[in-house]
């Protein structure tokens, strides 16, 4: 399956990124680029909104180019006007939100962000109960270098085919190639 075929299938991509807290100063730009890329490739973007933390620039950019965006949120969500009309499912229980994310997303994409977005990623991945969705992490400025080392040193011995489940992209354009590759491995 090539990337053109993947874009025709409209994969559901669970996004883990944060627009708040300390982190990469290019974070908003990376999110905007990623949202635009995913929308133009025909992906359906599924985002978590927890405790006011959400990838707002990514969602706004995806919608701006006609992309499909939906949100799984806690009860404290307040949508800004730029996201008016975005489908929102309020799921008060955090574990249930993570289970829903794991059930609906075909692949998880993690962007450099806060500890909160990393925690949500691992919570959703673990909620898969052995079905662990593949994860592609944008390792910009070595944001996920520790996870990359862990994957090579620990996961490689503990999980058969870990390299088909965890991938690291060096740039936004490379994300789509990695997403396509992990989806192809699952089919």
């Amino acid at each position: 399956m090539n990337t053109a075929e993947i874009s025709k299938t409209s994969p559901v991509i669970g996004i883990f990124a944060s627009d708040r807290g300390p982190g990469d100063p290019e974070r908003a730009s990376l999110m905007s680029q990623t949202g635009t890329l995913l929308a133009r490739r025909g992906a359906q973007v599924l985002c978590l909104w927890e405790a006011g933390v959400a990838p707002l620039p990514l969602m706004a950019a995806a919608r701006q180019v006609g992309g499909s965006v939906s949100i799984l949120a806690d009860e404290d969500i307040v949508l800004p006007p730029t996201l008016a009309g975005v489908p929102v499912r309020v799921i008060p229980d955090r574990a249930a939100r993570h289970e829903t994310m794991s059930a609906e997303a075909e692949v998880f994409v993690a962007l450099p962000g806060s500890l909160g977005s990393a925690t949500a990623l691992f919570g959703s991945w673990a909620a898969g109960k052995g079905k662990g969705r593949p994860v592609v992490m944008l390792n910009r400025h070595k944001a996920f270098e520790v996870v990359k080392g862990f994957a090579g040193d620990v996961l490689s011995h503990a999980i058969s085919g870990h390299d088909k489940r965890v991938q690291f992209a060096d740039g936004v354009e490379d994300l789509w190639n990695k997403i396509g590759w992990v989806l192809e491995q699952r089919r």
Side-chain angles (χ1 to χ4, degrees):
M1 177 180 299
N2 62 39
T3 56
E5 291 169 327
I6 290 167
S7 66
K8 290 178 187 174
T9 64
S10 298
V12 177
I13 299 177
I15 300 294
F16 297 88
S18 170
D19 67 342
R20 293 188 9 205
D24 192 329
E26 298 173 322
R27 184 170 29 191
S29 175
L30 290 172
M31 280 192 262
S32 294
Q33 291 172 40
T34 301
T36 300
L37 172 79
L38 296 176
R40 287 189 174 148
R41 299 293 186 166
Q44 298 176 49
V45 176
L46 180 61
C47 299
L48 284 178
W49 187 301
E50 297 180 318
V53 176
L56 293 174
L58 185 143
M59 292 186 284
R63 285 191 28 107
Q64 189 172 31
V65 296
S68 171
V69 175
S70 59
I71 300 170
L72 300 174
D74 60 19
E75 61 276 352
D76 296 330
I77 187 170
V78 177
L79 280 180
T82 57
L83 297 179
V86 170
V88 175
R89 284 180 284 161
V90 174
I91 303 172
D93 180 66
R94 184 175 194 185
R97 273 193 308 279
H98 291 190
E99 287 175 14
T100 302
M101 176 66 93
S102 185
E104 294 182 9
E106 294 174 63
V107 62
F108 295 152
V109 169
L111 302 179
S114 68
L115 184 55
S117 59
T119 301
L121 166 66
F122 291 110
S124 294
W125 194 71
K129 297 181 177 129
K131 297 177 190 165
R133 295 290 179 233
V135 179
V136 179
M137 298 180 196
L138 179 58
N139 199 26
R140 176 87 171 171
H141 298 304
K142 299 184 179 189
F144 293 106
E145 203 65 19
V146 170
V147 178
K148 190 175 185 179
F150 177 81
D153 293 344
V154 178
L155 290 182
S156 63
H157 300 290
I159 299 175
S160 176
H162 83 285
D163 57 329
K164 294 178 183 173
R165 294 184 186 186
V166 180
Q167 289 287 305
F168 299 90
D170 294 321
V172 173
E173 282 295 327
D174 190 33
L175 274 175
W176 189 253
N177 295 329
K178 300 291 184 172
I179 290 166
W181 188 84
V182 296
L183 288 175
E184 185 177 314
Q185 300 307 305
R186 291 188 60 217
R187 293 187 171 132

